[in-house]
């Protein structure tokens, strides 16, 4: 599990804005203002700019200064890092972890092919400079398996550089496109996974048991209406995946990809949010925080529902896109419970009269997105 240094639990409710610090100062300010109104406590963001669909702008500054021959990789742009540090500090004030992506393949500037010496010099500088921030995580790469200039042994070598230079021992992982990394590596503190299928939630259990480490599903698709399959999920689908993955003990990451004529789209450039999922993610975050431990763990349950919580004290049963009209339920052994019907879309909690033991029939609203909550009665 994740926890702060004082043992306070950390349950990830992340978002994605890959290149937000490579935009104009005004747009960066707007992103911070937007984040202040959201439930998100982690943001995935890159140190190098991004060249991809709907993200073609040229940043004002870069990690390295320019030289007559291109980039001077023996020096670093102090203005760039001063701005980055200011933004990381602003995130810290909002209680948001900065999940810093160190390499990625969406590159027209040559940063994905610097070579071993420049790579290691860059990592040494970045880690020594930024490791003093308490809210920094390291992601070795976004979609590492698309960085064809690097082999698996390179990632292990580069991760060792990060681990060696980080005096504070920040969280460290790597993110895939298709081939999930082997997170049994000693340097990997947690799994950072891309998986877009509806079966993603069920796989969280498998991954947690395989590596014995926290699992962050950092990319499963985005709420939006782009022409790409990863960029046109409904808000309902996003909310369902958050509930399914979180109740299995995972840590989920949101993103938003609504088309905009100016191509300012949250998942890459930040700005404003337009979708319906963040409010529902905030509701889920509240439900998790009301657990007596401040977190939920996967629990045994029925085959057609996802069950999580704190055994014998706080149990959530989520029906996903099923819509039962009623459910015969059994209160966990030894528990006298108050029972709530939780509507994860309407964000309502309806408490049944009285307290309950044994088996009973609960009438339900016969629509998707319903959960039952059992709370140990005082």
């Amino acid at each position: 599990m994740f926890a702060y240094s004082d043992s306070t639990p950390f349950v990830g409710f992340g978002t994605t804005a890959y290149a937000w610090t490579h935009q104009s100062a005004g747009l960066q300010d707007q992103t911070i203002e937007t984040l202040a109104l959201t439930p998100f406590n982690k943001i995935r963001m890159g140190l190098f700019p991004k060249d991809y669909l709907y993200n073609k702008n040229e940043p004002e500054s870069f990690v390295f200064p320019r030289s007559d021959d291109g980039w001077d990789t023996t020096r670093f742009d102090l203005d760039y890092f001063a701005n980055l540090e200011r933004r990381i500090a602003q995130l810290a004030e909002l209680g948001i972890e900065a999940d810093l992506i160190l390499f990625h393949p969406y590159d027209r500037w040559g940063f994905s092919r610097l070579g071993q010496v420049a790579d290691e010099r860059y990592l040494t500088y970045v880690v020594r400079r930024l490791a003093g921030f308490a809210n920094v995580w390291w992601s070795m790469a976004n979609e590492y398996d698309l960085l064809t200039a690097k082999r698996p042994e390179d990632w292990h070598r580069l991760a060792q550089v990060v681990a060696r230079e980080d005096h504070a021992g920040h969280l460290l992982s790597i993110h895939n496109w298709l081939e999930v990394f082997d997170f049994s590596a000693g340097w990997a503190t947690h799994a950072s996974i891309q998986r877009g299928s509806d079966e993603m939630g069920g796989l969280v259990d498998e991954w947690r048991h395989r590596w014995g480490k926290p699992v962050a599903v950092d990319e499963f698709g985005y709420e939006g209406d782009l022409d790409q399959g990863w960029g046109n999920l409904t808000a309902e689908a996003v909310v369902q995946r958050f509930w399914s993955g979180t109740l299995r003990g995972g840590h989920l990451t949101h993103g938003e990809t609504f088309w905009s004529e100016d191509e300012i789209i949250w998942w890459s450039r930040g700005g404003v949010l337009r979708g319906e999922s963040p409010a529902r993610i905030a509701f889920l975050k509240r439900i998790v925080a009301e657990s007596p431990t401040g977190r939920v763990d996967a629990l045994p349950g029925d085959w057609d529902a996802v069950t999580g919580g704190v055994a014998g004290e706080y149990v959530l049963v989520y029906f996903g896109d099923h819509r039962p009209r009623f459910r015969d339920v059994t209160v966990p052994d030894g528990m006298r419970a108050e029972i709530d019907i939780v509507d994860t879309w309407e964000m309502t909690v309806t408490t049944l009269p009285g307290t309950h033991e044994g088996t009973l029939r609960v009438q339900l609203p016969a629509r998707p997105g319903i959960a039952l909550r059992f709370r140990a009665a005082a």
Side-chain angles (χ1 to χ4, degrees):
M1 68 178 69
F2 290 130
Y4 294 101
S5 58
D6 64 358
S7 300
T8 301
F10 177 88
V11 181
F13 295 92
T15 191
T16 307
Y18 288 120
W20 76 275
T21 58
H22 303 104
Q23 311 306 313
S24 68
L27 186 53
Q28 292 181 49
D29 289 341
Q30 186 179 55
T31 302
I32 289 291
E33 292 166 3
T34 299
L35 286 168
L37 303 174
T38 72
F40 302 123
N41 56 16
K42 181 170 83 83
I43 185 168
R44 300 186 68 230
M45 52 189 283
L47 270 70
F48 291 126
K50 186 174 182 179
D51 177 51
Y52 195 59
L53 297 171
Y54 312 107
N55 193 179
K56 297 291 185 180
N57 66 297
E58 190 74 7
E60 295 179 3
S61 61
F62 298 82
V63 168
F64 306 110
R66 294 183 187 270
S67 69
D68 293 339
D69 299 323
W71 302 103
D72 182 354
T73 62
T74 66
R75 298 188 300 122
F76 298 89
D77 188 317
L78 300 185
D79 290 337
Y80 167 87
F81 279 95
N83 180 68
L84 179 63
E85 288 176 329
R86 185 163 72 91
R87 300 308 184 181
I88 293 172
Q90 289 176 316
L91 293 173
E93 291 173 359
L94 298 175
I96 297 174
E97 306 292 313
D99 194 356
L100 300 179
I101 298 166
L102 299 170
F103 295 98
H104 69 76
Y106 303 108
D107 172 38
R108 67 172 182 266
W109 300 274
F111 300 133
S112 60
R113 294 177 175 270
L114 295 173
Q116 179 175 338
V117 173
D119 281 349
E120 294 190 11
R121 184 188 300 117
Y122 154 70
L123 290 177
T124 298
Y125 181 85
V126 165
V127 175
R128 289 181 179 180
R129 178 151 187 165
L130 301 180
F133 287 93
N135 64 319
V136 160
W137 299 22
W138 310 117
S139 177
M140 291 306 305
N142 186 64
E143 297 183 341
Y144 81 91
D145 40 338
L146 292 180
L147 283 148
T148 56
K150 292 179 173 59
R151 313 310 315 158
E153 56 269 25
D154 294 314
W155 293 117
H156 289 292
R157 172 178 53 80
L158 293 171
Q160 293 293 347
V161 173
V162 173
R164 182 188 71 224
E165 298 297 336
D166 184 358
H167 69 282
H170 290 283
L171 295 174
L172 172 60
S173 194
I174 190 168
H175 170 270
N176 65 285
W177 178 51
L178 291 178
E179 186 174 350
V180 174
F181 202 82
D182 179 4
F183 292 102
S184 64
W187 53 263
T189 58
H190 63 285
S192 173
I193 292 175
Q194 174 174 185
R195 181 59 63 92
S197 68
D198 290 333
E199 293 75 31
M200 172 273 297
L203 289 169
V204 170
D205 278 334
E206 177 189 330
W207 293 325
R208 286 192 306 105
H209 288 100
R210 183 189 305 176
W211 300 303
K213 297 177 180 181
V215 171
V217 182
D218 278 320
E219 188 173 350
F220 61 76
Y222 307 121
E223 179 186 359
D225 58 9
L226 297 186
D227 61 323
Q228 305 292 309
W230 46 260
N232 52 35
L233 290 182
T234 65
E236 291 87 348
V238 171
V239 172
Q240 180 182 333
R241 293 181 188 191
F242 257 86
W243 272 83
S244 179
T246 301
L247 291 194
R248 287 182 167 98
H251 305 264
L252 280 290
T253 298
H254 153 278
E256 184 177 289
T257 48
F258 287 100
W259 185 85
S260 176
E261 189 170 355
D262 60 9
E263 298 193 347
I264 297 176
I265 299 174
W266 176 265
W267 120 102
S268 191
R269 299 176 68 181
V272 298
L273 286 164
R274 297 160 49 191
E276 297 181 280
S277 64
R280 277 85 187 173
I281 294 168
F283 178 71
L284 169 60
K285 186 179 181 183
R286 190 196 94 192
I287 294 292
V288 171
E290 290 174 355
S291 156
T293 62
R295 56 175 293 114
V296 295
D297 297 307
L299 296 175
D302 296 330
W303 68 272
D304 59 345
V306 181
T307 303
V310 180
E313 296 183 68
Y314 189 89
V315 178
L316 292 157
V317 180
Y318 174 61
F319 301 112
D321 59 2
H322 296 279
R323 50 178 190 177
R325 181 167 297 278
F326 59 86
R327 185 78 166 193
D328 293 329
V329 300
T330 300
V331 177
D333 288 344
M335 185 179 181
R336 183 167 57 87
E338 296 180 295
I339 300 177
D340 302 316
I341 300 172
V342 180
D343 189 319
T344 68
W345 184 256
E346 297 297 334
M347 299 177 285
T348 60
V349 176
T350 304
T351 302
L352 302 184
T355 59
H356 306 272
E357 297 177 279
T359 299
L360 69 152
R361 174 164 292 188
V362 177
Q363 300 297 321
L364 297 171
R367 59 175 174 264
I370 301 299
L372 285 172
R373 178 169 65 173
F374 301 83
R375 295 176 287 114

